[in-house]
């Protein structure tokens, strides 16, 4: 987080030589997995950054590995908390 991305010539309503600077947010989602009444915290990893220059939006895609046995019947839920 807090990295800077400089875009030039990619934003339609900004002159081509003028820079548009984006700062990647430092916020990270918290993932709480509960399986059969046992809670664990997952470590999400941001693996995709999508920049929509038309709408001036930046999206971060977070992923996490969820340990789940297909051989054993389990009940569980995943809670995602963002700031």
């Amino acid at each position: 987080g807090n990295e800077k991305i400089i875009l030039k010539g990619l934003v339609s309503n900004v002159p081509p030589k003028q820079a548009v600077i984006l700062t990647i947010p430092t916020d990270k989602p918290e993932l709480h997995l509960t399986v059969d009444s046992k809670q664990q915290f997952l470590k999400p990893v941001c693996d995709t950054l999508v920049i929509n220059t038309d709408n001036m939006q930046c999206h971060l895609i977070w992923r996490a590995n969820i340990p789940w046995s297909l051989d054993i019947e389990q009940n569980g839920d995943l809670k995602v908390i963002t700031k």
Side-chain angles (χ1 to χ4, degrees):
N2 243 6
E3 292 89 356
K4 303 236 184 281
I5 297 177
I6 300 172
L7 303 175
K8 284 186 179 179
L10 296 172
V11 181
S12 61
N13 59 347
V14 176
K17 295 188 182 209
Q18 182 178 339
V20 173
I21 301 172
L22 304 173
T23 302
I24 303 300
T26 57
D27 295 338
K28 186 176 186 179
E30 293 179 20
L31 302 176
H32 303 261
L33 177 66
T34 305
V35 177
D36 292 330
S37 301
K38 297 177 190 165
Q39 187 175 34
Q40 57 184 302
F41 299 95
L42 303 176
K43 294 183 180 181
V45 176
C46 180
D47 70 356
T48 306
L49 170 66
V50 178
I51 299 172
N52 182 333
T53 57
D54 292 333
N55 294 333
M56 300 297 288
Q57 294 177 337
C58 176
H59 302 275
L60 302 172
I61 311 273
W62 295 85
R63 301 183 195 276
N65 290 324
I66 299 176
W68 198 270
S69 175
L70 297 177
D71 300 331
I72 303 169
E73 187 174 326
Q74 303 177 82
N75 293 314
D77 64 74
L78 176 66
K79 293 181 181 146
V80 178
I81 301 169
T82 59
K83 297 177 182 179

